[in-house]
Amino acid sequence: MRIAMIGTRGVPARYGGFETAVEEIGARLVEAGHEVRVYCRSGGERMREYRGMRLVHLPAVRHKVLETLSHTALSVGHLLGRRTDVALVFNAANSPLLPLVRAARIPVATHVDGLEWKRAKWNGTGRRYYLVAERLAVRWSDEIIADARGIQDYYRERYKTASVMIPYGAPVQEAVDEEVLRAAGYEPGRYHLVVARFEPENHVDLIVEGYTRSAATYPLVVVGSAPYAAEYTRGIERLAEADPRVTLTGGIWDQRLLDALYAGAATYLHGHSVGGTNPSLLRAMGAGAPVVAYDVNFNREVLGETGEFFADAASLAKAVEDAEADPARGRARGDAARERARTEYTWDDVAARYEALCRDLLAKR
């Protein structure tokens, strides 16, 4: 089967959940005997093949509104001239291009992601566009892919449509690489960790504010940045500058160090609120980090009984203080989270479900 994966920055995965999903799913589909083509945004190394996937590099308009759609438009143009059995489109924002794929008689499934229209980075026009794009994805996709039950419920209630629920997978770490941590200046088990893009719906500012109100003695390490949120980022920087316990590292692209940071954290503080199954949360669970998450249905769905939750600065402050007072309880929660990730969120299972979906799409054609 010839499968095209469209709508992301491409692989190797260096940015977010979509890219990680494309890499992990695509590589396994290749191992299962399928031909996989991944459309990548130009920039950096232009490999023709990666983990068996064939890569096509195309440009994009570097603008937060136009970047995704401009690249996908070129990708669809390229796709129409090649023999393809099934197309997997990521991001509902790309749905205006779906009629072109359908006109070429290529079955298409759209991974709609989270509730993008709720993100604060979009103004009124951007939010209206995403709401329209959701409706178009429902109308013009052969199947809708949701990565969480909460997203499934949203599409069922709002659009009266069914979807296929396929979550992300979680990498599992059995131990902390203490050598890497200490070389970077971190003491295993004696810091709190945030890994997130600096966007309001990820509540990094709330986490930092809550931490600064606490009597915590372990430092707070905040990994991340944002290309289109200068004012919001500056607010976080002001909070951090007022408290020497807070360190803003910016983005960390050394995957070995990032893995060690997840595995060695006293707590992983997760503020995401509008996505579905969040890859960073799964990564923390797979590393055995005790998770304290923002209290929304998506995070409760993923964490189950292994999580603790906060809703405001005061409850965040209490959570980090409690974690330092009883580290054994935190380690037990982390072990339970790792086991949940190992059994409920495996990439092999995720890829098998995508393969079954592609076979169903091809059969229906």
Side-chain angles (χ1 to χ4, degrees):
M1 187 162 35
R2 296 174 294 256
I3 303 167
M5 307 179 84
I6 304 172
T8 74
R9 288 173 174 80
V11 297
R14 295 192 178 97
Y15 189 76
F18 271 159
E19 288 72 28
T20 300
V22 167
E23 177 171 331
E24 298 297 340
I25 296 163
R28 286 166 173 79
L29 290 175
V30 169
E31 290 172 0
H34 304 292
E35 180 184 307
V36 177
R37 186 189 319 131
V38 177
Y39 287 90
C40 310
R41 295 182 197 174
S42 298
E45 187 179 359
R46 294 171 63 94
M47 292 181 287
R48 297 182 62 183
E49 186 175 299
Y50 178 70
R51 294 183 67 178
M53 296 170 279
R54 299 179 182 180
L55 310 186
V56 178
H57 297 268
L58 296 168
V61 176
R62 300 299 178 184
H63 185 278
K64 75 173 184 178
V65 175
L66 300 175
E67 186 169 357
T68 295
L69 196 60
S70 64
H71 176 261
T72 303
L74 293 175
S75 301
V76 169
H78 185 278
L79 173 73
L80 298 181
R82 274 76 186 169
R83 292 179 61 83
T84 305
D85 294 316
V86 175
L88 300 175
V89 174
F90 293 80
N91 196 338
N94 293 311
S95 60
L97 298 165
L98 294 176
L100 297 175
V101 182
R102 295 284 297 274
R105 297 184 57 77
I106 300 172
V108 58
T110 302
H111 188 310
V112 291
D113 199 16
L115 309 182
E116 187 71 19
W117 58 272
K118 287 189 173 184
R119 294 189 185 276
K121 68 181 179 180
W122 303 118
N123 59 22
T125 301
R127 291 179 186 180
R128 286 191 295 272
Y129 174 81
Y130 268 98
L131 283 169
V132 170
E134 285 182 356
R135 290 196 295 272
L136 297 181
V138 169
R139 180 183 301 172
W140 290 332
S141 301
D142 292 297
E143 290 284 1
I144 293 292
I145 303 169
D147 62 31
R149 298 295 179 194
I151 299 297
Q152 263 196 323
D153 293 342
Y154 169 80
Y155 273 81
R156 183 183 303 111
E157 292 164 10
R158 188 179 186 105
Y159 300 109
K160 305 297 186 290
T161 192
S163 58
V164 179
M165 205 292 278
I166 310 178
Y168 293 113
V172 173
Q173 295 185 66
E174 300 294 350
V176 183
D177 193 331
E178 296 189 2
E179 180 181 351
V180 167
L181 276 184
R182 290 197 170 95
Y186 302 104
E187 185 65 23
R190 297 186 65 83
Y191 60 88
H192 304 282
L193 179 68
V194 181
V195 181
R197 287 202 293 271
F198 288 5
E199 297 174 343
E201 58 278 356
N202 292 344
H203 295 97
V204 179
D205 57 342
L206 177 61
I207 292 172
V208 176
E209 179 189 353
Y211 174 86
T212 61
R213 291 189 187 184
S214 76
T217 59
Y218 300 170
L220 175 66
V221 180
V222 183
V223 180
S225 60
Y228 303 121
E231 183 177 347
Y232 181 74
T233 298
R234 184 57 192 150
I236 295 169
E237 290 171 347
R238 284 193 293 268
L239 287 168
E241 288 165 359
D243 192 327
R245 298 175 297 168
V246 181
T247 300
L248 305 182
T249 69
I252 292 180
W253 310 113
D254 181 338
Q255 292 304 308
R256 189 179 175 197
L257 173 57
L258 198 55
D259 287 344
L261 283 168
Y262 276 107
T267 64
Y268 173 72
L269 307 174
H270 183 76
H272 297 64
S273 64
V274 304
T277 302
N278 183 268
S280 185
L281 175 56
L282 290 177
R283 192 169 181 180
M285 291 170 64
V291 177
V292 181
Y294 191 72
D295 195 358
V296 292
N297 62 335
F298 304 120
N299 294 336
R300 284 188 175 274
E301 175 186 334
V302 175
L303 284 162
E305 299 298 318
T306 73
E308 291 187 351
F309 302 91
F310 70 95
D312 51 29
S315 54
L316 187 285
K318 183 177 186 305
V320 295
E321 290 171 353
D322 290 348
E324 293 186 11
D326 191 356
R329 181 172 178 273
R331 287 193 294 272
R333 286 203 305 112
D335 290 343
R338 182 193 290 113
E339 190 58 30
R340 181 172 174 82
R342 190 197 321 274
T343 57
E344 300 294 328
Y345 296 97
T346 70
W347 280 119
D348 286 346
D349 176 61
V350 169
R353 290 159 77 173
Y354 269 90
E355 182 182 28
L357 171 62
C358 290
R359 291 192 187 281
D360 288 346
L361 288 170
L362 188 57
K364 289 176 183 177
R365 185 183 68 174

